[in-house]
C-alpha cells in the first residue's frame, strides 16, 4: 500500500503582506463539503470571499487587514478538514494518487462484499422453490446483512462523515441524502430481521455506497488531470541555475536558492530560470511561453528577460530581479489557479439546484411517510415508500457536471497551449459564432517550416548541407531547416555567429545566415 503523503499545515506567516492566496484543504469528500467549508470560512471576521473548489482541493481566499488567518485554519479543523500549504505540483500529484488508491480500496471492498449481498438478496426476491420461506430464508437474510456490514462500516464511513459535516453547518448535500438513504435501508432491514421478516434492503445500502464510491474514483481522476493542467506552466522551468562566481566561472545551484541581485549565466539553447536583466552579451530569445510568438526577439544589455524564455544565440549573464515565487510566470500561474475558483453563472445555478434538491427530497420523503400512515398504509410499506424517495433523489450529477465539464475543457485547452484566465472565458466561448483576428501571422503552429527552396542546383543536397551546418542550434529557423534536410550529413566544424553560422560539411564551407551576415 502506498504511504500517505503528508502536506504541511497552513502557516499564516507565509502570507504576510498579501491579501489573497490559494491554500489547500485536506479531506474534502464531495462538492457539498466544499460548499460547506466555503460558507463557514466566509463567516470568519475579515474574510471577504472564500471560493472552495472540490475538484482542485483548495480554496481561493481574499481578506482585509483585520482578518485572522489562524481563525480560518481553526474553523476548517473544527469541521473535520485541514488547511494546508499550497503544495508543489509534484506533491499535489502524489497526494491525489495516494487518495485515489484509498478510494479504489474502498471500492474493491464494496464490490467484493456487496456482490454477495446482492446475490443473496436476489435469492430472496425470486424465491426459487420457496427458498425464502422459513429458517432457510431467514438464514439467507442474516447472511446478506453480514456481507453488507464491511461495505457499510468501511466504504460507507466517509459518506456518513461528509453528510454529517455538511448538515451540521446548514449546507446538507448529496452525502447527507445518501447517508440518510443508507441509514434508512439498514435500519429498516434490521427491524425486519428483529421481527422475523426476510424483507430486507441491505442490497440498496451497498448499491448506493458502491456507486457513490465509483463516482468518487472517477472524480479523483479528473482532479489529477486538473492539477496537471493548472501547474502546467511550472513544468517548463528549469529547477537549477548557473551561478556566476567571483572568478567568472559558474556553479550550478537550485533556482529557488538564488537571491535577487545574484548574477546567473544562461547558455545558448538553455531556458531562463529566473526573471532578470541582461548584463553581458545581447542575444535573441524564444518568448513563446509568454507571448505565443514563434519569431525570436532580440534582447540587448539592460533589457529584461523572463523565466521560461529560451536563449537562442549565445551565453548571457543575467542579474536576477525576481526569485522563485515572484517571477512573472509564477504570478500568471497563481492568477490562473485563483480564477479557476470563480463561480460562473452555470456553476452557481448547479449549486443552487443541489441545495434545493436535498431539503426538498427529505421533505418529500417525510410527507410520503406521513401521508401513507394517515391513509392507513402499513408502517413497513410507508417506510419503504419514504426510503425510495430518498434513494432516487441524489443530486450527484447536478453538483458535479458543471465543474467536471469545465475542468475537462481546461485540460484539453492546456494540452494545446491555451490557458483560460477565468471560467467566464470558456463559458462565453461556447456562445461564440464568429471570431475575428486582428494580428497577422499568429494563427500558426508556432513552428516555422521550409515551404520552398530557390536554387540552381540539387534541392535535396542543398538542404542536407544546410541541416548539417545548423546541427545543435536551438533556433526555430534552424530546427525547420534540420527537419527539411534530415540527418544524412554531419558537420566537421561549426562556428555559430550573431546572425548566422559557418561550418565545414563534407569538405565544403557552408555559410548560412541573414542578408547582412552573407554580405559581410
Amino acid at each position: 500500500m502506498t504511504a500517505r503523503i503528508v502536506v504541511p499545515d497552513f502557516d499564516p506567516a507565509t502570507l504576510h503582506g498579501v491579501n489573497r492566496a490559494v491554500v489547500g484543504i485536506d479531506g474534502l469528500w464531495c462538492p457539498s463539503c466544499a460548499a460547506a467549508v466555503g460558507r463557514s470560512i466566509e463567516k470568519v471576521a475579515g474574510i471577504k470571499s472564500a471560493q472552495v473548489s472540490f475538484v482542485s482541493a483548495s480554496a481561493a481566499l481574499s481578506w482585509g487587514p483585520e482578518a485572522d488567518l489562524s481563525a480560518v485554519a481553526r474553523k476548517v479543523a473544527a469541521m473535520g478538514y485541514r488547511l494546508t500549504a499550497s503544495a508543489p505540483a509534484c506533491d499535489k500529484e502524489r497526494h491525489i494518487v495516494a487518495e485515489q488508491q484509498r478510494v479504489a480500496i474502498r471500492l474493491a471492498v464494496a464490490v467484493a462484499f456487496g456482490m454477495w449481498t446482492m446475490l443473496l438478496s436476489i435469492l430472496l426476491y425470486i424465491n426459487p422453490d420457496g427458498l425464502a420461506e422459513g429458517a432457510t430464508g431467514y438464514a439467507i437474510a442474516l447472511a446478506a446483512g453480514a456481507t453488507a456490514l464491511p461495505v457499510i462500516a468501511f466504504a460507507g464511513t466517509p459518506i456518513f462523515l461528509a453528510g454529517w459535516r455538511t448538515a451540521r453547518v446548514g449546507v446538507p448535500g448529496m452525502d447527507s441524502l445518501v447517508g440518510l438513504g443508507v441509514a434508512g435501508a439498514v435500519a429498516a432491514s434490521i427491524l425486519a430481521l428483529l421481527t422475523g421478516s426476510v424483507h430486507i434492503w441491505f442490497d440498496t445500502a451497498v448499491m448506493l455506497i458502491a456507486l457513490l464510491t465509483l463516482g468518487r474514483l472517477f472524480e479523483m481522476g479528473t482532479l489529477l488531470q486538473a492539477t496537471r493542467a493548472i501547474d502546467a506552466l511550472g513544468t517548463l522551468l528549469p529547477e537549477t541555475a548557473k551561478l556566476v562566481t567571483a572568478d567568472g566561472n559558474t556553479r550550478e545551484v537550485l533556482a529557488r536558492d538564488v537571491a535577487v541581485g545574484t548574477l546567473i549565466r544562461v547558455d545558448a539553447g538553455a531556458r531562463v530560470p529566473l526573471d532578470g536583466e541582461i548584463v553581458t552579451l545581447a542575444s535573441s530569445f524564444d518568448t513563446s511561453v509568454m507571448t505565443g510568438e514563434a519569431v525570436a526577439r532580440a534582447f540587448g544589455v539592460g533589457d529584461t528577460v523572463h523565466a521560461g524564455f529560451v536563449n537562442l544565440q549565445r551565453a548571457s549573464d543575467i542579474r536576477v530581479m525576481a526569485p522563485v515565487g515572484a517571477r512573472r510566470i509564477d504570478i500568471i500561474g497563481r492568477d490562473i489557479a485563483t480564477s479557476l475558483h470563480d463561480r460562473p453563472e452555470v456553476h452557481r445555478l448547479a449549486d443552487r439546484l443541489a441545495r434545493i434538491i436535498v431539503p426538498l427530497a427529505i421533505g418529500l420523503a417525510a410527507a410520503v411517510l406521513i401521508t401513507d400512515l394517515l391513509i392507513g398504509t402499513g408502517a413497513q410499506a410507508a417506510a419503504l415508500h419514504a426510503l425510495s424517495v430518498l434513494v432516487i433523489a441524489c443530486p450527484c450529477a447536478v453538483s458535479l457536471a458543471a465543474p467536471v465539464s469545465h475542468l475537462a475543457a481546461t485540460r484539453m485547452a492546456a494540452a494545446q497551449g491555451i490557458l483560460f484566465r477565468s471560467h467566464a472565458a470558456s463559458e462565453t466561448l461556447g456562445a461564440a459564432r464568429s471570431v475575428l483576428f486582428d494580428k497577422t501571422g499568429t494563427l500558426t503552429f508556432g513552428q516555422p517550416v521550409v515551404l520552398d527552396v530557390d536554387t540552381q542546383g540539387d534541392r535535396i543536397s542543398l538542404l542536407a548541407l544546410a541541416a548539417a551546418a545548423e546541427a545543435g542550434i536551438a533556433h526555430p529557423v534552424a530546427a525547420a531547416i534540420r527537419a527539411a534536410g534530415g540527418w544524412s550529413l554531419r558537420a566537421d566544424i561549426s562556428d555559430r555567429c550573431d546572425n548566422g553560422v559557418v561550418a565545414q560539411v563534407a569538405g565544403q564551407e557552408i555559410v548560412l545566415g541573414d542578408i547582412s551576415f552573407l554580405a559581410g
Side-chain angles (χ1 to χ4, degrees):
M1 185 183 300
T2 304
R4 185 180 180 87
I5 305 298
V6 179
V7 182
D9 287 332
F10 168 69
D11 182 6
T14 60
L15 299 180
H16 179 70
V18 299
N19 60 2
R20 64 185 179 94
V22 175
V23 297
I25 299 181
D26 189 24
L28 288 179
W29 172 251
C30 65
S32 298
C33 305
V37 172
R39 180 173 294 187
S40 296
I41 292 176
E42 288 181 341
K43 294 179 181 178
V44 177
I47 299 298
K48 295 181 178 179
S49 68
Q51 298 290 347
V52 180
S53 170
F54 162 71
V55 287
S56 63
S58 58
L61 307 179
S62 64
W63 58 88
E66 73 280 9
D68 181 5
L69 297 183
S70 298
V72 175
R74 292 193 296 270
K75 189 78 169 180
V76 172
M79 296 182 65
Y81 309 106
R82 184 170 66 97
L83 212 60
T84 68
S86 182
C90 58
D91 289 345
K92 290 180 182 177
E93 187 169 329
R94 286 197 299 268
H95 178 71
I96 294 169
V97 169
E99 180 62 26
Q100 198 173 32
Q101 291 175 347
R102 287 191 289 272
V103 174
I105 291 173
R106 288 197 292 268
L107 178 61
V109 170
V111 172
F113 288 92
M115 66 179 182
W116 289 107
T117 302
M118 300 294 290
L119 178 61
L120 294 170
S121 298
I122 290 173
L123 286 176
L124 295 176
Y125 292 151
I126 63 177
N127 190 21
D129 299 325
L131 186 65
E133 300 172 1
T136 302
Y138 192 76
I140 293 175
L142 285 174
T147 54
L149 184 60
V151 181
I152 298 166
F154 179 69
T157 296
I159 298 175
F160 296 131
L161 289 176
W164 164 247
R165 290 167 180 170
T166 54
R168 188 176 61 179
V169 294
V171 194
M174 174 179 56
D175 292 277
S176 302
L177 191 58
V178 172
L180 282 175
V182 171
V186 172
S189 300
I190 293 175
L191 181 61
L193 290 176
L194 292 176
T195 58
S197 173
V198 297
H199 295 291
I200 57 172
W201 297 275
F202 289 118
D203 55 323
T204 300
V206 300
M207 178 196 66
L208 285 173
I209 293 172
L211 290 178
L212 192 57
T213 306
L214 177 62
R216 293 291 185 255
L217 188 61
F218 289 148
E219 291 159 24
M220 295 308 298
T222 303
L223 175 57
L224 182 62
Q225 294 295 333
T227 300
R228 290 171 176 171
I230 293 171
D231 295 312
L233 286 174
T235 62
L236 299 174
L237 304 178
E239 295 183 356
T240 61
K242 286 189 174 181
L243 188 70
V244 179
T245 59
D247 57 4
N249 294 321
T250 61
R251 176 169 54 90
E252 194 166 26
V253 297
L254 292 175
R256 64 171 180 265
D257 294 335
V258 178
V260 173
T262 303
L263 203 63
I264 62 173
R265 183 165 297 162
V266 180
D267 294 331
R271 196 176 289 273
V272 179
L274 299 156
D275 293 357
E277 178 185 313
I278 297 178
V279 176
T280 61
L281 298 181
S283 186
S284 62
F285 290 80
D286 175 2
T287 65
S288 59
V289 68
M290 290 288 184
T291 65
E293 297 282 356
V295 178
R297 291 175 53 194
F299 287 80
V301 174
D303 290 339
T304 300
V305 293
H306 296 285
F309 288 5
V310 179
N311 188 1
L312 298 176
Q313 278 190 304
R314 63 180 65 82
S316 299
D317 289 349
I318 297 172
R319 191 171 304 282
V320 176
M321 298 172 59
V324 172
R327 300 169 296 186
R328 184 180 178 188
I329 200 167
D330 296 326
I331 295 171
I332 292 174
R334 281 200 298 271
D335 288 343
I336 293 172
T338 301
S339 66
L340 286 176
H341 292 76
D342 294 338
R343 309 297 294 170
E345 183 56 36
V346 65
H347 291 213
R348 291 193 292 268
L349 176 61
D351 290 342
R352 288 197 297 270
L353 287 175
R355 289 197 294 268
I356 293 172
I357 288 174
V358 173
L360 181 62
I362 295 174
L364 284 176
V368 167
L369 177 63
I370 295 171
T371 302
D372 278 356
L373 292 176
L374 289 176
I375 64 176
T377 304
Q380 187 175 18
L384 178 60
H385 294 164
L387 178 62
S388 299
V389 174
L390 288 177
V391 168
I392 65 174
C394 177
C396 176
V398 176
S399 297
L400 293 174
V404 169
S405 62
H406 171 75
L407 282 168
T410 300
R411 177 175 58 84
M412 294 175 65
Q416 301 297 323
I418 302 170
L419 296 175
F420 292 119
R421 293 203 61 176
S422 71
H423 283 299
S426 57
E427 189 178 61
T428 304
L429 188 61
R433 294 296 176 265
S434 300
V435 181
L436 303 179
F437 295 92
D438 65 349
K439 194 171 185 181
T440 305
T442 58
L443 301 182
T444 68
F445 290 106
Q447 298 174 344
V449 296
V450 175
L451 295 178
D452 194 14
V453 178
D454 185 7
T455 178
Q456 299 295 323
D458 183 5
R459 177 181 185 276
I460 297 178
S461 298
L462 179 63
L463 281 174
L465 290 169
E470 295 283 10
I473 298 176
H475 193 282
V477 175
I481 293 173
R482 290 196 298 271
W487 298 91
S488 58
L489 298 176
R490 295 288 185 273
D492 300 320
I493 301 174
S494 180
D495 183 18
R496 174 65 174 167
C497 304
D498 287 351
N499 302 312
V501 62
V502 179
Q504 291 289 333
V505 182
Q508 303 180 65
E509 184 180 60
I510 307 299
V511 181
L512 287 86
D514 60 20
I515 294 177
S516 61
F517 179 74
L518 296 177

